[in-house]
Amino acid sequence: MGRPLPRLQGAGLTLSASSVTVLGIRHHGPGSARSVATALDELSPDCVVIEGPPELDALVPLAAHPELVPPVAGLVYAVDSPRRAAFYPFAVFSPEWVALQWALARGVEVRFADLPGMHVLAPDKEEGQSDDRGDRASDADDVDSGEVQGSEPDGGARQRTALRLDPVGELARTAGYDDPERWWEDAIEHRRDSTLERFAMLSEAIAAVRERAPEEAENARREAAMRRVLRAVQRAGRERVAMVCGAWHAPALEEKSWPTQAADNRLLAKLPKTKVAATWAPWTAGRLAMSSGYGAGVRSPGWYRHLFTTPDEDVVAGWLVQVARALREEGLDAAPASVVEATRLADALAAVRGRPSVGLSELDDATRAVLAEGSDLPLALIDRKLVIGEELGRVPDETPMVPLAADVARQQRSLRLKPSATSSVVQLDLRRDGGLARSVFLHRLRVLGIDWAEQVSAGTTTGTFKEAWELEWRPELAVALVEASLYGNTVLAAAEASVGEQAGAADLAGLAMLVEDCFLADLSSALPDVVAVLAERTARQHDTLTLLRTVEPLARTCRYGDVRGADTAGIAHVLETVVVRASLGLRAACQSLDDDGAAAVRGGIEGTQRGVALLDDAALTDPWHAALTRLGDDVAIHGSVSGRLNRLLLDADLLASDEAARRLSRRLSVGADAEAGAAWLDGFLTGEALLLLHDDDLLGVVDEWVASVPEQVFEDLLPLLRRTFSRFESAERRQIGAHLRDLGTARPEVPSTGIELERGRPAAELVARLLGLEVAS
């Protein structure tokens, strides 16, 4: 184990020499947070400056609100384009949060200092659009407090960071440590000299690390902006200023290293600007983790929270008690006696390894050996629930937010749909007013692109009154709410306006989906306009594949609209027109198809068949079935499409079983192309295996064809055949095999005993000769 950082010459600190004391920290480090609290008590500043964009100054008063519960993030977004946004996360163990709470508790002024968000989120001057700075980390090292987490247009989030040294990690590795936090504890926390002197020594060490790193223009601008705020605080007459910032910036913010004000002004001159707004947003423990892609994240936010909030003497036992509780909740054994044994083992491991205290690695090893019986699987559960954590922050109602976000929060409370960082599934019964109201609300959010809820299978029920939704709140949804607020101030108004905009750009299939969305989300005001656009586009649409893709969503709307009390007469008229035109153009759409084109047409035909079968209306089924019948025996179309057509005709009782067997036999004859036959077979057999189990003629044709295919051709066909039969359940495949065996025993050329004597004669004669028996001629 390496030794703690030695005292650096010239590192002593004289408070009277400077009115600014820089406290360089490691972002989201509980050791750093404790050091900051101690240093602030020792310094007793009259102003605390924290690294972060100045726009966060307006959020400082709310940080004292009892209902603002970390993890939370300061959200800064461009007013004209909310998807250009930046998050600045805080956890209860973040040094910046500790400094903020220390100042608020004592009535001390708090300021944020960094490159303002109006510059960071400004669009590119030349192109007039974002240069993606809203998606880029404001600093890449683990000690930065101003990480930016951007929101992508699809609602996801990403974090792009530059390759740069982690100074605390670099110093820890130099000292022989594999954990920067453990090094911080030993080198900073456990030293007996002044905490302020320790920060000064760390700053000098970071300065040495920075000498080996290239200078970056963005970093230089950020530090110039920080110094500008510090100068403003000094001019305001503050005598003792504490600057809490990422340790990387500490050397550049000490007064002795400040460049002239003119030099800093030149760095900050002529930067692009945009109008921005700021608010608090809930954050999650998972998004504080490195594994989420957050550049300033930590490996174990849940563990760090435990370290920071638990007295030293209870850290080990308290953690293992939580581990045992989590295991028991999952139905695993975790007796109290095992917790005691694991605690003793963790202490012993720390002593053997020469650690001054038990760390997470010792606790993991003790958990694996004692509570998990040597298995790593329970550790994955502990990692998700405890090491990373499942906490979701909370913000008060007084938080400045767009009216749409306030309406969403109000409806979440009234409908009892509580946001959570963990995934949960809710079942809705649409026959009940509460279930229907929840469904409408969730569908409206989906229309707005706020994917808090995803519709999933409602189980084995075949009823139309059930819906299931999987809910999981993610921080970037705060940006999606701001972006959706451009459409309106309430969920209903915004959803109707959004549908109207989408209708202008959607194709025919997209319009059909929008019609269905209008019914599901109860957007009655927007529906007539969408239907009008749909009818006009239908009259001008000549692409049969697009018409085929339109049928199923329109049919679902007509079939299930009555569940929600909707009038579907206008939709039914459009649907009839679509089906008739698709039926007339089906033959032309099936000509000259390659494999990809055949797959697309086949999918459209299957969707249309499901839609037509859903309504069972003669005005739809008659033209559609007539079109399928005309194409059923056409050998010129692609095998996959032809096989599927014939299977649909057979299932609809429009094709006799013996005729289906004849067509199958012709497609699989020796003179036909083997690959085309395999494609036809794939289309024909897709569906239930009962067709082969109950029709001996069809099964016999398939069996004979497979047996007659030449070996070199069979090798090429094997992947296609395997894909076809892999769609059946394993039990169904076994039944098909047993049925083939029974068919073989029933054939005239096979003895009734089921034993083929002539085929077995060579083997029997060889065994007889080996045994010295006389072989009869």
Side-chain angles (χ1 to χ4, degrees):
M1 184 182 70
R3 295 176 295 176
L5 182 71
R7 175 184 287 275
L8 301 174
Q9 297 297 325
L13 183 66
T14 304
L15 296 180
S16 60
S18 171
S19 63
V20 177
T21 302
V22 182
L23 307 178
I25 51 89
R26 181 171 187 261
H27 194 41
H28 301 316
S32 295
R34 283 190 291 267
S35 296
V36 165
T38 303
L40 292 176
D41 287 336
E42 189 175 341
L43 177 63
S44 188
D46 53 9
C47 181
V48 175
V49 182
I50 301 172
E51 183 182 343
E55 288 84 359
L56 297 182
D57 288 347
L59 305 181
V60 168
L62 268 177
H65 200 291
E67 293 185 12
L68 186 70
V69 180
V72 292
L75 168 61
V76 182
Y77 60 91
V79 175
D80 62 338
S81 180
R83 68 182 62 189
R84 297 203 309 271
F87 288 103
Y88 298 84
F90 299 89
V92 69
F93 51 82
S94 298
E96 302 87 351
W97 182 258
V98 170
L100 178 60
Q101 294 300 312
W102 185 95
L104 290 172
R106 293 161 178 79
V108 175
E109 180 186 4
V110 177
R111 295 283 301 274
F112 281 90
D114 204 336
L115 192 64
M118 64 178 179
H119 300 313
V120 174
L121 301 177
D124 183 75
K125 282 186 175 181
E126 296 181 358
E127 300 180 4
Q129 59 187 10
S130 172
D131 62 359
D132 276 341
R133 278 177 291 177
D135 287 339
R136 184 173 60 239
S138 58
D139 205 344
D141 52 79
D142 272 352
V143 297
D144 189 298
S145 64
E147 288 296 331
V148 177
Q149 179 119 353
S151 174
E152 291 183 298
D154 62 358
R158 61 179 177 173
Q159 182 70 35
R160 289 186 290 171
T161 59
L163 294 177
R164 188 184 300 165
L165 288 172
D166 168 11
V168 174
E170 186 75 8
L171 293 173
R173 285 189 292 272
T174 302
Y177 284 73
D178 56 0
D179 184 354
E181 273 302 308
R182 189 183 294 275
W183 174 85
W184 186 282
E185 293 283 338
D186 293 349
I188 305 298
E189 293 290 317
H190 296 161
R191 293 180 67 96
R192 295 186 178 182
D193 41 17
S194 167
T195 304
L196 293 174
E197 289 188 349
R198 286 178 242 154
F199 275 112
M201 289 189 295
L202 177 66
S203 180
E204 188 168 337
I206 296 297
V209 176
R210 283 185 60 143
E211 291 177 356
R212 299 189 291 110
E215 183 63 31
E216 296 183 0
E218 181 184 3
N219 189 63
R221 286 194 296 267
R222 295 185 59 214
E223 291 172 349
M226 295 179 198
R227 290 190 291 265
R228 180 169 60 184
V229 174
L230 292 175
R231 289 190 179 100
V233 169
Q234 286 181 324
R235 287 194 300 269
R238 302 307 179 191
E239 298 180 355
R240 297 182 307 280
V241 180
M243 175 69 198
V244 180
C245 64
W248 182 262
H249 304 297
L253 300 183
E254 293 181 348
E255 282 187 284
K256 62 183 180 182
S257 61
W258 285 8
T260 64
Q261 184 172 349
D264 281 345
N265 289 340
R266 284 194 296 270
L267 286 173
L268 300 174
K270 298 181 180 180
L271 293 178
K273 296 181 181 180
T274 190
K275 186 178 180 181
V276 298
T279 186
W280 288 111
W283 203 249
T284 65
R287 282 300 172 89
L288 290 169
M290 288 179 181
S291 57
S292 71
Y294 175 31
V298 292
R299 288 183 295 178
S300 47
W303 163 247
Y304 281 178
R305 185 181 189 280
H306 177 75
L307 276 181
F308 185 73
T309 58
T310 306
D312 291 344
E313 62 273 13
D314 297 332
V315 167
V316 177
W319 179 260
L320 290 172
V321 166
Q322 294 183 54
V323 169
R325 184 182 299 117
L327 293 175
R328 285 195 291 269
E329 288 174 353
E330 297 297 324
L332 302 175
D333 293 333
S338 300
V339 175
V340 174
E341 184 180 349
T343 302
R344 292 172 178 169
L345 178 57
D347 289 332
L349 288 173
V352 169
R353 295 170 180 175
R355 303 292 194 188
S357 60
V358 176
L360 185 59
S361 58
E362 287 78 34
L363 289 169
D364 282 346
D365 291 341
T367 299
R368 181 186 295 105
V370 179
L371 296 173
E373 298 180 350
S375 173
D376 286 330
L377 291 179
L379 289 183
L381 166 69
I382 300 304
D383 185 73
R384 174 175 58 84
K385 299 190 68 173
L386 296 180
V387 177
I388 293 178
E390 298 177 338
E391 291 83 13
L392 172 65
R394 191 170 69 247
V395 299
D397 294 338
E398 294 83 349
T399 302
M401 60 179 67
V402 294
L404 176 64
D407 187 50
V408 169
R410 180 188 61 79
Q411 294 197 48
Q412 285 173 333
R413 289 191 298 269
S414 64
L415 296 174
R416 298 181 181 179
L417 292 171
K418 183 179 179 181
S420 172
T422 57
S423 176
S424 61
V425 176
V426 295
Q427 298 278 349
L428 304 181
D429 187 345
L430 304 185
R431 294 169 295 184
R432 299 179 179 273
D433 292 341
L436 183 58
R438 288 182 174 189
S439 173
V440 167
F441 174 62
L442 295 176
H443 278 292
R444 288 174 178 174
L445 291 184
R446 186 174 57 82
V447 167
L448 288 170
I450 303 170
D451 54 346
W452 169 38
E454 179 183 356
Q455 193 168 2
V456 296
S457 172
T460 57
T461 178
T462 58
T464 61
F465 296 96
K466 295 289 186 180
E467 279 186 359
W469 294 82
E470 183 178 5
L471 278 62
E472 182 179 3
W473 188 264
R474 299 183 306 280
E476 62 267 21
L477 295 178
V479 176
L481 281 171
V482 175
E483 187 174 2
S485 68
L486 299 176
Y487 293 106
N489 293 334
T490 66
V491 176
L492 174 58
E496 289 180 339
S498 175
V499 165
E501 182 180 282
Q502 294 178 52
D507 60 10
L508 194 63
L511 285 170
M513 296 298 296
L514 281 178
V515 169
E516 187 176 20
D517 289 340
C518 287
F519 277 100
L520 296 175
D522 192 17
L523 304 178
S524 56
S525 297
L527 181 60
D529 293 336
V530 178
V531 173
V533 175
L534 175 65
E536 186 267 335
R537 297 268 180 87
T538 301
R540 295 189 290 109
Q541 180 58 252
H542 301 290
D543 182 19
T544 303
L545 180 57
T546 301
L547 293 169
L548 292 172
R549 291 171 174 168
T550 307
V551 173
E552 187 175 13
L554 290 179
R556 284 199 304 263
T557 302
C558 293
R559 174 66 178 84
Y560 301 128
D562 59 341
V563 176
R564 299 170 184 269
D567 182 10
T568 60
I571 307 300
H573 176 70
V574 175
L575 175 60
E576 182 178 344
T577 302
V578 170
V579 171
V580 171
R581 295 193 63 198
S583 301
L584 293 175
L586 186 60
R587 176 179 292 277
C590 294
Q591 301 297 320
S592 304
L593 296 174
D594 58 10
D595 290 343
D596 293 337
V601 171
R602 173 175 161 178
I605 291 174
E606 290 173 338
T608 301
Q609 175 64 24
R610 289 192 296 268
V612 170
L614 194 62
L615 296 178
D616 194 20
D617 183 350
L620 305 177
T621 56
D622 290 351
W624 177 244
H625 287 164
L628 296 183
T629 302
R630 287 193 298 269
L631 288 177
D633 202 23
D634 190 343
V635 296
I637 64 178
H638 194 282
S640 177
V641 176
S642 179
R644 196 70 195 124
L645 289 172
N646 280 276
R647 176 61 184 272
L648 295 178
L649 291 170
L650 180 65
D651 291 344
D653 290 331
L654 300 174
L655 180 67
S657 177
D658 56 347
E659 176 61 17
R662 186 188 68 80
R663 294 180 181 181
L664 174 62
S665 177
R666 184 173 61 181
R667 283 286 187 163
L668 302 183
S669 63
V670 177
D673 181 74
E675 290 191 12
W680 201 97
L681 184 65
D682 178 74
F684 188 76
L685 294 184
T686 297
E688 297 180 354
L690 295 177
L691 179 66
L692 292 179
L693 291 174
H694 294 286
D695 194 320
D696 293 347
D697 292 337
L698 292 176
L699 183 58
V701 170
V702 174
D703 183 36
E704 292 177 3
W705 174 71
V706 172
S708 64
V709 171
E711 182 177 354
Q712 63 275 17
V713 178
F714 182 78
E715 292 179 356
D716 296 332
L717 294 182
L718 184 58
L720 300 176
L721 295 174
R722 183 171 293 170
R723 181 187 63 186
T724 300
F725 285 91
S726 66
R727 298 191 183 103
F728 298 147
E729 297 293 335
S730 57
E732 292 176 331
R733 293 196 295 269
R734 285 196 300 269
Q735 289 178 337
I736 291 174
H739 200 52
L740 281 171
R741 181 192 60 203
D742 295 340
L743 284 177
T745 59
R747 290 173 183 170
E749 67 272 12
V750 179
S752 59
T753 60
I755 302 175
E756 298 184 23
L757 297 179
E758 289 302 320
R759 294 182 60 187
R761 177 180 293 277
E765 292 177 349
L766 176 60
V767 171
R769 283 196 295 269
L770 291 174
L771 296 176
L773 302 176
E774 183 176 347
V775 179
S777 58

